[in-house]
């Protein structure tokens, strides 16, 4: 039992050091997550400090992904941050930006579908499903558009 305790203390210290020297926000977040998991096995002494740093790292990773037009990754990072700090304003703002972007993409998917541009409709709709929370009604609509667009393009309904 004592050796397990010492091992976990060493894991926390090592992960915290890794987080401080990580060269990307997602690597920082993963290192802080490792530190958080190890800290919980010890006594949770550093819990609040680690949670703060962990959420900051996920928000930074999400912002970086958003700026690179990787909206699904940005939304995932924002939600991961909110798993640790449900009222983190940066994470909530980032998620809202992602949802807003998805709403615009859903509108584009609808337009592509109406214009019988099924491949573009399918691709846009699939992206929307990856950005929005699964239970969001717009995600269900996007899944339906993707399904119909796929079926239409397979049956040869798409105009050349």
């Amino acid at each position: 039992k004592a050796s397990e305790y010492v091992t976990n203390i060493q894991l926390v210290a090592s992960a915290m050091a890794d987080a401080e020297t990580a060269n990307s926000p997602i690597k920082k977040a993963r290192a802080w997550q490792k530190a958080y998991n190890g800290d919980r096995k010890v006594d949770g002494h550093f819990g609040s400090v680690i949670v703060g740093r962990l959420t900051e790292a996920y928000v930074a990773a999400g912002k970086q992904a958003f700026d690179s037009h990787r909206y699904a990754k940005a939304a995932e990072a924002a939600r991961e941050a909110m798993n640790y700090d449900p009222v983190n304003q940066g994470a909530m703002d980032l998620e809202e930006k992602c949802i807003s972007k998805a709403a615009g993409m859903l509108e584009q998917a609808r337009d592509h579908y109406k214009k019988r541009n099924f491949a573009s409709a399918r691709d846009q709709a699939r992206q929307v499903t990856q950005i929005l929370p699964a239970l969001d009604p717009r995600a269900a609509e996007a899944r339906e558009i993707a399904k119909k667009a796929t079926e239409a393009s397979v049956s040869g309904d798409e105009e050349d």
Side-chain angles (χ1 to χ4, degrees):
K1 190 79 175 169
S3 67
E4 183 180 331
Y5 186 79
V6 170
T7 299
N8 283 317
I9 290 173
Q10 290 170 337
L11 176 111
V12 171
S14 172
M16 288 173 82
D18 289 347
E20 291 297 337
T21 60
N23 60 1
S24 79
I26 196 65
K27 287 181 182 177
K28 265 187 195 309
R30 289 182 182 138
W32 283 117
Q33 192 170 33
K34 188 175 178 182
Y36 175 81
N37 292 335
D39 188 54
R40 289 183 61 205
K41 291 177 184 175
V42 178
D43 64 358
H45 178 76
F46 293 108
S48 61
V49 170
I50 292 173
V51 165
R53 299 277 179 85
L54 178 57
T55 55
E56 286 173 14
Y58 271 119
V59 170
K63 286 178 179 178
Q64 187 177 62
F66 190 92
D67 291 344
S68 299
H69 307 284
R70 295 184 348 256
Y71 305 115
K73 288 288 183 195
E76 180 183 333
R79 291 185 192 112
E80 193 63 35
M82 289 187 292
N83 282 337
Y84 293 96
D85 182 1
V87 295
N88 182 284
Q89 194 61 53
M92 291 188 297
D93 291 346
L94 178 59
E95 184 188 37
E96 187 54 43
K97 280 176 63 175
C98 292
I99 289 171
S100 177
K101 186 57 117 169
M105 294 170 78
L106 180 57
E107 189 60 40
Q108 289 175 345
R110 288 184 198 119
D111 289 344
H112 285 301
Y113 189 81
K114 286 176 190 171
K115 293 175 182 173
R116 302 177 61 79
N117 186 350
F118 298 124
S120 294
R122 180 198 60 226
D123 293 346
Q124 285 283 65
R126 285 181 177 166
Q127 287 182 54
V128 170
T129 64
Q130 294 173 357
I131 297 167
L132 292 175
L135 297 178
D136 187 308
R138 294 169 295 185
E141 180 186 355
R143 285 189 294 274
E144 187 63 24
I145 291 171
K147 179 182 173 191
K148 286 179 179 180
T150 299
E151 290 169 352
S153 61
V154 167
S155 67
D157 289 346
E158 187 161 17
E159 293 183 12
D160 295 324

